[in-house]
Amino acid sequence: MTTGLIPGEQPPEPRPTEGLPQQRREPDGHGTMSVDNRSGSSVITARAAASFEPVGRSVASARSFVRDILQGWGFGDIVDDAVVLTSELVTNAVVHAGTAADVLCLRSEEGARIEVSDRYPEREIPVQSSAVNMGSPDCEGGRGLQLCAALAGRWGVEYTPTHKTVWFQLDLPQRPVGTRAAGPCLPADLLPLADSRVRVAVVQIDRAGTISSWNEDAEELFGYTAEQVTGKPLTDLAAWPHTPGTGTGIAEALQLSRWEGSYGVRGANGRVTPVYASHLRVRDTSGEPSTVCLVVRDHERAVLQTPSRGPSSDASGSSEGQGTDPFEVFIGSPAPDDLDGLLQRTVERARDMLDGDAAFLLLATDDETELEVRASTGLPSARQRFARVPVEAGPGRYGSARMPAVHDDLTAVPGAVPLLNSTGMRSVVTVPLKVEGRLTGSLGVAAEAPGRYSNEEALRLQFAADRIALAVESARLGELERLRRGSLSFLVEASDLLAGTLDRDQTLALMAQMTVPTLATWCAVYTIADQASDPYLSYVLHEDEELIDGIKSLLSKIPPPDPVPTPGARVWSAPGEVAHQAALRSSMRSLGLGGSPTRQVTPGIGPTLATAAAVGGETVVLPLVARNRVIGMLTLGKPTDEHFRQEILELAEDLSRRAALALDNARLYSERTAISQSLQRSLLPPDQPSIDGVEVEVIYRAAGEGNEVGGDFYDIFPISDGVYGFAIGDVCGTGPNAAAVTGLARHALRLLAREGLSGPAVLERLNSAILDEGARSRFLTLLYGELRPQEDGSAELKVVCAGHPLPLRLRQNGTVEPAAEPQPLLGVIEDLELYEETVTLDPGDVLLCVTDGVTERREGSRMLGDDGLAEVLTTCTGLTAGAVAARIMRAVERFASDAPSDDMAILAMRVPGLHVD
């Protein structure tokens, strides 16, 4: 939809009509057609235009557009007729004609003119002298023109080669000056109570949604100075309910041309003040839009509230024989299209109808055992939202919400209406809301004086309740469907996020971040290490980060909730009680009643009071149960005087089940990783011996995320004086079976070598030991050798290469050659005959031994291979053993962009020369 609003513009130029006639309907009742030249003397003072796509939802968007424009112009008396006509005409365009619709609103002193254009002009062109048959009232075709004829003062149809435009003119009713709306004269004792002066906060919001103006009354009402709030978004202060599946919020309300309704504002003391506000969207002289908000306390809403429109005295706008809908009479027209708006208007109309001091409406749960407070007026804020009371409240005929009841004096029947306990209300009338015999809610009106209501008032209220019950249930089911769709999307996203990590700390953070602020204002996660451990406070989150430390400190002083495995949310009252006690102590110290100087405790009062306000509402605990064991608890909290609604608790219960499984998976993964890493460390030598006359360097890199034990290993150990054994090998596969062979090989090599056996004998016995493992055996590639430094500065090596990548010898002149011959690998055949080869390393020579993770490094179809490794080694002449190993590792890592998929071990031994570069 595209819109444009141009106040003060002159009438547009007449559209080209190509000589076609323009239709006009005069309000004379004769049904004649005549030409309208649109040359009236009225001056167009403002215009607004919008275009709507050819989709079904555009009809509702067009209705909202016209309603907002006319209400913004102050034309509330003609809004209903204009919305009805626009709806029919836009339906004809976007649904029946299948084209986009252009809506133009023109304001003049007499009223408003609205034009609806579509792009389907191929219709029968009416002849001026011929009669027009607009069809049956029961058919959709032509009904828009019938409504124009019935409701509009003037109307017409224009045709062009590309457009067809239907327009209608609605004139404002003639009212004497000063009688826009009025109420009866009341005795002084019946007038509403107010403070010494009614304060009207004037707040201006700029284009970006931030506060640009804040008057003195706003400072008195909410405790903030203008300097503290200027430049901050109004959404930071407005306590607007956030519920999954609904999209209406304060940000959307600020974008409308005019808005009026109730919400809350968080004051400097942390408490939420219920307010009634009237918003008007304006533009300054430079064209910049902003919103002016007039705000009063909710119980003073009559100062700002727009009076309901009374029945029109203009007989020309009514149809004979048309009945009045009792629902519209009670609720008013147009009826709110959202559940909260419908319920709030219901309680206000019920209170006014019976001249009560308070009214409330509760909706029943699916099992009809409890009633949930959804709307109220004239009651403390603690009773307003989502508090629950049982359907059967007490003994006797007054104790059930299933029947109408009149209470002359609540003091005589304590607990008959639990919602009104400690509110000062004495008399009350309550009636049920029923649909097809099923209890769906309860509506009540209360007064501070006893004996105010009789059976006559109960019958009037029951009649009204019967008229609205079906509409309320329909709106409730619609809201429930939206909530369920939103909940499903929320749970799908939560499952994806929780499944995307196996880190315990990150899982705890995700649990908290998904619940705040979507489900709760703050949350805390307790974890239980094992059945013998107490719950531990692991994570705390609040939507205001400055309050996290205070809540954490407060919860640390409270014994944790009991780890009960029973599913569902249970109320935990300890945080609220401790918070209220802390706030009371802080207030007493601030007054100098705590036994210490006020100046010493003043700095701590603010955070304590803020924490108390944040934690002082309803707190619930949900168990985190995984694999039939309680592994923790999810605690959700609301600020002072707020309650959880049942749908939110059910959604939180679903989330807790998913979060518990994710948290337990993270715990199991962490334990498995720790075991794997510990086992991996046990398979590698704890230290590396120092060998006189030979430089030795080892680099070992395990692939993967640490959850599998690698099959590569190395070892360097002393055999006897001046003789050292070295080995580098690779067991087929990973995991426990490979680890068993790795541990067997490393320990067997040391034991057999120190028994004085030769290299071939050592490997032959190791081969027999591997085969003895049976099904757990794995074949093993192994390079084993014995190193003997010589007095002339050289080193003698005796090596056996059993199926392993051949060791490479780098000479001082830069030539590279294999230092052994390939022989059969271990763990495959029983009768294994091996032999050892002798290699002498001269000063400056290097012997390089690697596992196949180095030579089999791949990038697409390319592989490093033995030749590539030899080529890199030729560039290492003159380098120390450590530098050689580091260069080889860098070359392997740079060969491919992906992370290595196999373990890698590099063993470099160098006999230093006389000069080392």
Side-chain angles (χ1 to χ4, degrees), residues 260-388:
E260 188 172 318
S262 301
Y263 51 89
V265 175
R266 288 191 177 91
N269 60 358
R271 291 186 173 273
V272 175
T273 301
V275 299
Y276 191 86
S278 177
H279 299 176
L280 179 64
R281 191 80 164 161
V282 298
R283 287 194 302 171
D284 59 18
T285 54
S286 61
E288 286 293 318
S290 62
T291 303
V292 178
C293 306
L294 304 180
V295 183
V296 298
R297 294 184 180 92
D298 190 70
H299 63 275
E300 298 167 344
R301 63 170 54 197
V303 176
L304 301 180
Q305 191 170 22
T306 301
S308 59
R309 175 187 172 190
S312 175
S313 59
D314 188 0
S316 63
S318 60
S319 302
E320 293 183 5
Q322 181 178 2
T324 303
D325 186 359
F327 172 78
E328 296 290 345
V329 171
F330 182 69
I331 294 297
S333 178
D337 54 3
D338 63 298
L339 177 62
D340 290 335
L342 177 62
L343 300 182
Q344 191 61 37
R345 186 177 298 185
T346 298
V347 296
E348 292 169 359
R349 295 297 173 87
R351 178 198 59 188
D352 296 341
M353 182 178 70
L354 298 187
D355 193 21
D357 298 314
F360 51 89
L361 193 150
L362 304 90
L363 295 183
T365 56
D366 292 338
D367 57 4
E368 300 182 22
T369 59
E370 288 185 307
L371 296 169
E372 186 177 65
V373 180
R374 292 299 303 270
S376 66
T377 179
L379 294 177
S381 58
R383 316 299 172 95
Q384 287 187 357
R385 297 283 287 179
F386 309 127
R388 288 197 163 200

